[in-house]
C-alpha cells in the first residue's frame, strides 16, 4: 500500500480522494492556493502545503511547486483528481521521473490518448466506429472541403481538447472560416496546441460513457453505462446510471468496445471511454478520459464499488480484486451538479456563500468542498457540490432528487438549484426521453 | 450615451474594440473571464465607442461599467 498521497487538486474532488485514502490508512497531503487557505480540505488533511497564489497557473497548475511540495512532505504518490493537471502527460511524466507514484495511467498512455485524432485512429483500427470526420486540418480550405463532404452541420474539435472546450458547431458554409479560426484560437489558448479536426455533427445524440478499471496484469473491468446527455456549453449538468436510453445490447456493445480499447492501449488505473449514440442507437467512439470522472459517484452508487480505493490499490501494484463477471449492480443513481451560476443564462457567479445547507437522507450523497462563509473564487470551476441520489428504480430516484433539491439551501451566490428543479419537473426528464438538446428544449418550452 | 455593464464578476481577458471608433450592433467590445468561462460583452446598438473603463487583467464586479458608447 502507498504510504502517503499528495492530492493535487482542490474542492469536492480533493475531499473525495481524501476520504478513501484515510479509510485505507494512507496519509494525506493537501495543497492549497491563497484563496483556499481556510478550506475544509486544508483542515481535514494530515498535512497541507501552500503552493501559491489564487490563479491556477501559480498554484494548482504549477508542476514545479506541486512536485516540490511532495518532496518536502515526503509524499510517495500523487492523485491528480480531475481537471487541472489530471490529463497533462508532462505532469505524470515528471512524477514518474521524481519517483512519485502517479495515481492514473502511464504518462505515455495519457499522451497518446490526449491526442484525440490518434485515439480515434486506434479505435477505428479495432473496428470500433468513430464519428465520420477528418484528421488534423491543415487550413480553412481543407476544412471547407471536409464540411462539403460530410454535409452540414459539422463541428470543429481541438485535437488536444476535452471538456467541450474549443468545440465550434457550423450550420452554414459562410460561418465556416470564422468557426475554424475560433476553434483554432481557443484550442491554442486552452491547450497550447491549436490543431483541430472536423466531425459530422450528429443530430439528437446521446452522450454515454463507460467507466473502466484496469490493472498492470491486463485485467479490465467495465461498468454499466452513464448517461450524460444533459449538458450546457458541452459540459455536463445531470448524469444518471444506468441510461434510460440503453438496451442490454447497447450496454454490452459499449462495454465490449471499452474493454478492447483498454487492452489494446495497455490502460491501467481508472478511466472513462466516451461515446455518442444516435437516435437509432448507432454508437461512435469519442474519446478516453484518462482520469477519474466528475460523475464517478453514480457508478459507485449502483455498484457499491469505491473507485478511488481501486485507483489507490492499482497504483500501489495490487492486482484488481474485482472481476467483471462478479460485478453486481442494481437500482438507479442520478447526479446533479450544483453550480455557482445563474439558472437562466448559466453565467458564472463567484462570491461568498452566505448560507449553505446540504440535504441529508438515505440514498443521498453530497460530495462538496465548501461550507457557509467560504469564497467561491472566480479563478476556479463553478462546481459547488455534487448531489447524488440512489433508489430502487428510476421513478424513485427522480423523486428523491426532487426532494433533495428542495432541501438544499444556498445563499450568497447565484446557483442552478432552480434550473435543476425545473429540469426534474419536466416531462422529458421524468420519462427519460431526452437527448443532448434537453436544455435547449426545456428553455423553448418555458419561453415559447 | 449608453453605459455597458459587466454581466459577471470576473476579470477582463481581452479588449477587442478600439476607442473613438465606430462600432456595430452585436460587435464584441471585450471578453471577460470567470470560472474558466469566456463571456463576450457585445455592443447593444451601433454607434461610437467613447470610452473603455477597464484594462486587460483587471478584476471587475457584476454591474461595473466597462465601456461607454454613443
Amino acid at each position: 500500500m502507498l504510504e502517503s498521497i499528495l492530492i493535487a487538486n482542490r474542492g469536492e474532488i480533493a475531499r473525495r480522494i481524501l476520504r478513501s485514502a484515510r479509510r485505507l490508512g494512507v496519509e494525506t497531503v493537501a495543497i492549497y492556493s491563497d484563496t483556499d487557505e481556510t478550506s475544509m480540505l486544508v483542515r481535514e488533511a494530515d498535512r497541507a502545503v501552500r503552493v501559491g497564489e489564487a490563479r491556477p497557473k501559480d498554484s494548482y497548475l504549477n508542476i514545479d511547486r506541486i512536485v516540490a511540495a511532495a518532496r518536502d512532505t515526503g509524499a510517495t504518490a500523487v492523485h491528480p483528481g480531475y481537471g487541472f493537471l489530471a490529463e497533462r502527460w508532462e505532469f505524470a511524466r515528471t512524477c514518474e521521473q521524481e519517483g512519485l507514484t502517479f495515481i492514473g495511467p502511464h504518462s505515455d498512455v495519457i499522451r497518446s490518448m490526449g491526442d484525440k485524432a490518434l485515439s480515434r485512429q486506434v479505435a477505428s483500427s479495432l473496428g470500433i466506429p468513430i464519428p465520420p470526420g477528418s484528421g488534423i486540418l491543415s487550413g480553412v480550405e481543407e476544412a471547407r472541403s471536409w464540411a462539403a463532404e460530410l454535409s452540414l452541420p459539422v463541428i470543429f474539435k481541438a485535437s488536444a481538447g476535452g471538456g467541450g472546450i474549443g468545440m465550434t458547431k457550423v450550420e452554414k458554409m459562410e460561418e465556416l472560416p470564422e468557426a475554424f479560426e475560433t476553434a483554432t484560437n481557443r484550442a491554442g489558448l486552452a491547450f497550447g496546441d491549436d490543431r483541430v479536426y472536423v466531425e459530422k455533427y450528429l443530430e439528437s445524440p446521446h452522450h454515454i460513457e463507460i467507466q473502466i478499471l484496469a490493472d498492470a496484469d491486463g485485467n479490465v473491468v467495465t461498468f454499466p453505462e452513464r448517461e450524460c446527455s444533459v449538458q450546457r456549453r458541452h459540459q455536463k449538468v445531470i448524469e444518471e446510471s444506468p441510461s434510460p436510453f440503453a438496451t442490454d445490447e447497447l450496454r454490452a456493445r459499449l462495454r465490449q468496445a471499452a474493454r478492447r480499447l483498454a487492452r489494446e492501449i495497455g490502460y491501467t488505473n481508472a478511466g472513462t471511454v466516451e461515446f455518442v449514440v444516435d437516435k437509432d442507437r448507432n454508437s461512435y467512439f469519442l474519446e478516453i478520459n484518462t482520469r477519474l470522472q466528475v460523475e464517478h459517484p453514480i457508478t459507485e452508487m449502483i455498484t457499491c464499488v469505491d473507485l478511488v480505493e481501486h485507483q489507490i490499490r492499482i497504483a500501489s501494484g495490487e492486482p484488481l480484486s474485482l472481476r467483471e463477471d462478479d460485478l453486481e449492480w442494481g437500482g438507479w443513481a442520478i447526479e446533479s451538479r450544483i453550480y455557482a451560476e445563474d439558472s437562466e443564462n448559466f453565467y458564472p457567479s463567484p462570491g461568498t456563500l452566505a448560507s449553505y445547507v446540504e440535504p441529508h437522507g438515505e440514498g443521498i450523497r453530497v460530495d462538496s468542498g465548501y461550507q457557509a462563509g467560504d469564497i467561491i473564487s472566480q479563478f476556479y470551476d463553478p462546481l459547488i457540490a455534487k448531489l447524488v441520489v440512489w433508489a430502487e428504480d428510476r421513478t424513485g430516484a427522480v423523486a428523491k432528487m426532487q426532494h433533495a433539491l428542495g432541501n438544499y439551501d444556498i445563499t450568497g451566490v447565484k446557483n442552478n438549484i432552480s434550473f435543476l428543479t425545473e429540469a426534474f419537473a419536466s416531462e422529458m426528464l421524468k420519462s427519460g426521453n431526452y437527448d443532448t438538446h434537453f436544455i435547449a428544449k426545456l428553455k423553448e418550452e418555458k419561453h415559447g | 450615451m449608453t453605459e455597458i455593464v459587466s454581466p459577471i464578476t470576473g476579470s477582463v481577458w481581452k479588449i477587442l474594440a478600439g476607442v473613438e471608433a465606430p462600432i456595430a450592433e452585436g460587435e464584441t467590445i471585450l471578453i471577460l473571464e470567470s470560472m474558466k468561462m469566456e463571456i463576450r460583452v457585445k455592443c447593444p446598438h451601433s454607434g461610437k465607442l467613447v470610452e473603455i473603463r477597464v484594462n486587460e487583467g483587471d478584476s471587475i464586479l457584476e454591474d461595473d461599467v466597462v465601456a461607454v458608447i454613443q
Side-chain angles (χ1 to χ4, degrees):
Chain A
M1 185 51 67
L2 304 170
E3 281 165 36
S4 63
I5 296 174
L6 178 138
I7 304 168
N9 217 298
R10 63 180 299 283
E12 68 86 17
I13 194 60
R15 295 185 68 224
R16 160 72 193 91
I17 294 160
L18 185 143
R19 281 198 296 279
S20 289
R22 181 151 292 165
R23 201 165 47 71
L24 293 171
V26 180
E27 197 190 29
T28 53
V29 179
I31 58 167
Y32 62 91
S33 71
D34 290 340
T35 306
D36 290 332
E37 189 176 357
T38 57
S39 69
M40 288 195 282
L41 173 75
V42 169
R43 285 202 305 278
E44 289 164 351
D46 295 315
R47 274 189 282 176
V49 183
R50 177 189 177 273
V51 283
E53 299 79 31
R55 285 179 196 276
K57 69 172 174 55
D58 300 322
S59 48
Y60 300 105
L61 287 175
N62 193 309
I63 294 178
D64 291 343
R65 292 187 191 173
I66 293 170
V67 169
R71 214 182 296 123
D72 293 346
T73 54
T76 56
V78 172
H79 196 308
Y82 57 70
F84 293 125
L85 295 169
E87 289 182 281
R88 293 270 183 94
W89 66 269
E90 298 92 337
F91 182 52
R93 173 74 48 90
T94 305
C95 291
E96 288 158 10
Q97 286 167 348
E98 294 282 328
L100 294 162
T101 302
F102 182 79
I103 303 176
H106 192 271
S107 59
D108 292 340
V109 172
I110 299 176
R111 185 180 199 174
S112 59
M113 291 302 106
D115 184 334
K116 303 306 170 194
L118 178 63
S119 73
R120 282 161 52 98
Q121 241 173 49
V122 174
S124 193
S125 73
L126 292 172
I128 298 165
I130 57 172
S134 71
I136 301 296
L137 294 166
S138 59
V140 69
E141 278 320 305
E142 195 189 353
R144 207 190 294 272
S145 70
W146 268 105
E149 189 178 321
L150 295 166
S151 82
L152 297 173
V154 294
I155 186 162
F156 287 109
K157 293 186 178 178
S159 182
I165 296 157
M167 286 192 203
T168 317
K169 185 182 170 189
V170 183
E171 305 200 49
K172 296 182 193 129
M173 210 44 118
E174 57 265 33
E175 295 167 356
L176 186 132
E178 199 191 329
F180 177 76
E181 204 190 309
T182 305
T184 304
N185 286 345
R186 284 198 189 149
L189 280 171
F191 309 110
D193 175 351
D194 66 0
R195 295 175 305 152
V196 298
Y197 59 95
V198 66
E199 266 180 13
K200 174 74 185 161
Y201 182 83
L202 300 168
E203 301 291 346
S204 306
H206 285 254
H207 190 120
I208 297 180
E209 62 187 26
I210 299 292
Q211 173 74 49
I212 58 172
L213 283 175
D215 66 17
D217 299 333
N219 298 306
V220 177
V221 174
T222 72
F223 291 76
E225 76 287 344
R226 294 189 289 250
E227 166 77 59
C228 308
S229 294
V230 179
Q231 305 190 353
R232 52 120 180 82
R233 291 190 299 268
H234 302 291
Q235 287 184 329
K236 300 158 190 169
V237 186
I238 297 167
E239 302 97 348
E240 58 182 309
S241 185
S243 164
F245 184 69
T247 56
D248 288 344
E249 189 278 325
L250 176 65
R251 178 172 303 127
R253 189 186 342 139
L254 298 183
R255 290 175 79 173
Q256 190 199 22
R259 196 180 308 121
R260 292 182 57 205
L261 262 169
R263 291 214 171 108
E264 175 70 19
I265 61 179
Y267 200 89
T268 52
N269 217 285
T272 293
V273 184
E274 298 198 336
F275 300 89
V276 278
V277 181
D278 72 13
K279 58 187 187 340
D280 301 314
R281 295 192 176 78
N282 297 306
S283 56
Y284 303 94
F285 166 79
L286 261 191
E287 63 182 36
I288 299 188
N289 292 317
T290 52
R291 54 170 164 85
L292 189 66
Q293 205 86 330
V294 178
E295 58 274 20
H296 77 276
I298 54 176
T299 299
E300 297 185 324
M301 294 291 262
I302 64 161
T303 58
C304 299
V305 169
D306 180 335
L307 291 168
V308 176
E309 175 185 337
H310 283 282
Q311 284 196 292
I312 294 171
R313 290 189 183 280
I314 291 167
S316 61
E318 291 181 25
L320 261 173
S321 56
L322 192 68
R323 289 285 171 276
E324 189 164 318
D325 293 339
D326 302 331
L327 181 70
E328 286 180 26
W329 61 282
W332 211 283
I334 306 179
E335 172 180 284
S336 291
R337 298 193 191 187
I338 311 297
Y339 284 124
E341 66 182 21
D342 189 293
S343 264
E344 286 300 317
N345 57 19
F346 305 129
Y347 278 0
S349 176
T352 301
L353 281 174
S355 67
Y356 181 76
V357 182
E358 293 170 355
H360 293 279
E362 203 188 322
I364 295 174
R365 164 176 168 180
V366 183
D367 286 15
S368 72
Y370 296 105
Q371 60 184 348
D374 282 354
I375 291 169
I376 314 264
S377 162
Q378 58 154 308
F379 295 115
Y380 309 124
D381 194 273
L383 187 71
I384 299 172
K386 302 180 315 205
L387 169 59
V388 190
V389 299
W390 180 93
E392 291 286 339
D393 57 23
R394 191 170 186 280
T395 309
V398 170
K400 193 170 281 186
M401 180 61 80
Q402 289 179 303
H403 182 74
L405 285 168
N407 286 315
Y408 220 128
D409 173 47
I410 302 174
T411 59
V413 295
K414 290 181 199 167
N415 59 76
N416 66 339
I417 301 245
S418 68
F419 164 76
L420 291 163
T421 305
E422 274 171 34
F424 282 100
S426 74
E427 210 37 58
M428 282 184 289
L429 218 138
K430 276 187 182 164
S431 66
N433 185 16
Y434 66 88
D435 54 41
T436 45
H437 302 308
F438 173 77
I439 290 179
K441 285 181 187 161
L442 191 70
K443 297 268 172 202
E444 217 169 88
E445 277 177 15
K446 194 178 167 194
H447 302 291
Chain B
M1 294 285 209
T2 310
E3 291 189 331
I4 313 289
V5 299
S6 171
I8 55 155
T9 295
S11 53
V12 180
W13 182 44
K14 271 201 161 75
I15 294 172
L16 299 182
V19 180
E20 292 296 314
I23 187 160
E25 181 181 336
E27 203 175 309
T28 302
I29 301 169
L30 44 83
I31 305 175
L32 307 173
E33 190 184 23
S34 183
M35 297 180 136
K36 304 196 313 189
M37 199 181 138
E38 294 163 29
I39 310 278
R40 286 169 181 265
V41 176
K42 295 184 176 179
C43 190
H45 61 77
S46 52
K48 190 173 90 172
L49 186 65
V50 182
E51 189 185 355
I52 290 183
R53 292 203 184 158
V54 291
N55 296 305
E56 289 184 1
D58 283 0
S59 286
I60 47 159
L61 297 172
E62 186 175 341
D63 293 332
D64 278 358
V65 176
V66 293
V68 180
I69 53 169
Q70 194 172 39

